[in-house]
Amino acid sequence: VLLAAYVGYVGLGAAVLQALERPAEVRAAQRLLQEHWELLANHTCLQGPALQRLVEGIIQAYKSGITLQGNSTSLGRWDYSGSFFFSISAITTIGYGNLSPSTAVGRIFCIVFALFGIPLNLVLLNEIGQLMLLGVQHCARRLEEVFHWQNKASILMKTCALVTGLLLFLLLPPLLFSDKEGWSYEEGFYYSFITLSTIGFGDYVIGMNPDRTYPGWYKNVISLWILFGMAWLALVIKFCINLLE
């Protein structure tokens, strides 16, 4: 029964996503094809195969973090702050997919780094989560002692912890992303949840817009936000698991 419910839930999600996203995909493909033929028609000196190779080269370069800016290129995804953020995304298993090692040595190092880093990250997240939980329980006991509440104190503190976590990790960060990335609030909220839940689609990633200048503290603060936010969301997900079980 549980397996049937699981497959049914995934199947329902697939049907809804197909209905919502498939028309937009078809329109984007038609628009791209139309622009391709218009470019070739307006610039007869261009050849189809040569244009295709250029497009593929641009796509591959963009995946490596290189973008064209006039007659120059923009680098910076593999500077120290970018590499630090990639390391965080690797051992937290977020894996955005927008950036990955391109050298054989880099890939081998990434495997070894993740092999030891993922367990270390899980241990740290578990400790942070336990500290959060102990803090909530301590506050609940204090309320029970002062106001002689019993079940009310526990419910009140859990509610406060949930609301505080929602503010700090899901509701307020989109405002920062709107300022630094130029995203809408909905896009920032979507990125926050996709990141903290370690889904990590990679369609939205901070600090990757070559047209924007980011402060030095930006990625470091976001790395801390990811660490503590994942610990908080793990507690919420654990609570949901207990309800389902």
Side-chain angles (χ1 to χ4, degrees):
V1 171
L2 184 60
L3 179 61
Y6 179 86
V7 174
Y9 187 78
V10 174
L12 176 64
V16 172
L17 286 171
Q18 182 184 24
L20 293 175
E21 298 296 331
R22 182 66 175 177
E25 181 187 36
V26 171
R27 288 194 300 270
Q30 292 173 344
R31 186 167 58 250
L32 178 62
L33 190 60
Q34 181 181 358
E35 291 175 355
H36 172 78
W37 288 116
E38 287 178 355
L39 182 64
L40 290 177
N42 294 331
H43 300 82
T44 55
C45 58
L46 292 175
Q47 296 180 349
L51 178 61
Q52 183 66 25
R53 287 194 299 271
L54 176 62
V55 170
E56 291 175 354
I58 292 174
I59 293 173
Q60 188 61 41
Y62 182 78
K63 289 181 178 179
S64 301
I66 304 171
T67 55
L68 288 172
Q69 291 184 326
N71 293 325
S72 62
T73 55
S74 173
L75 303 173
R77 291 192 181 183
W78 284 115
D79 57 10
Y80 187 79
S81 62
S83 300
F84 185 86
F85 190 72
F86 171 80
S87 300
I88 288 286
S89 69
I91 64 174
T92 54
T93 70
I94 295 173
Y96 290 113
N98 69 310
L99 189 62
S100 57
S102 59
T103 63
V105 177
R107 290 169 182 161
I108 293 172
F109 173 78
C110 189
I111 292 172
V112 177
F113 180 73
L115 187 64
F116 292 97
I118 291 173
L120 177 62
N121 177 73
L122 291 175
V123 170
L124 179 60
L125 288 182
N126 182 61
E127 290 296 323
I128 293 175
Q130 291 300 319
L131 286 175
M132 290 180 176
L133 196 58
L134 287 173
V136 171
Q137 292 172 348
H138 176 72
C139 292
R141 284 195 299 269
R142 293 288 296 173
L143 285 176
E144 289 177 1
E145 294 172 358
V146 175
F147 297 100
H148 303 289
W149 292 343
Q150 294 180 354
N151 294 331
K152 290 183 180 179
S154 178
I155 295 173
L156 177 63
M157 288 312 305
K158 288 179 180 178
T159 303
C160 289
L162 178 62
V163 172
T164 303
L166 280 172
L167 285 172
L168 290 178
F169 302 121
L170 288 179
L171 298 180
L172 293 179
L175 299 176
L176 176 64
F177 301 141
S178 297
D179 178 56
K180 299 301 180 184
E181 305 290 342
W183 298 341
S184 66
Y185 185 85
E186 175 270 327
E187 290 171 328
F189 183 83
Y190 166 79
Y191 166 78
S192 298
F193 182 80
I194 292 300
T195 294
L196 297 185
S197 61
T198 72
I199 296 173
F201 288 125
D203 48 351
Y204 289 91
V205 184
I206 60 104
M208 296 299 174
N209 190 342
D211 297 326
R212 287 183 171 267
T213 302
Y214 300 100
W217 54 263
Y218 183 51
K219 287 186 178 180
N220 297 329
V221 170
I222 297 303
S223 298
L224 289 175
W225 165 76
I226 289 175
L227 194 61
F228 286 91
M230 283 179 61
W232 171 81
L233 191 59
L235 291 177
V236 175
I237 292 174
K238 184 178 180 181
F239 176 72
C240 294
I241 290 173
N242 293 334
L243 287 179
L244 287 173
E245 288 181 341

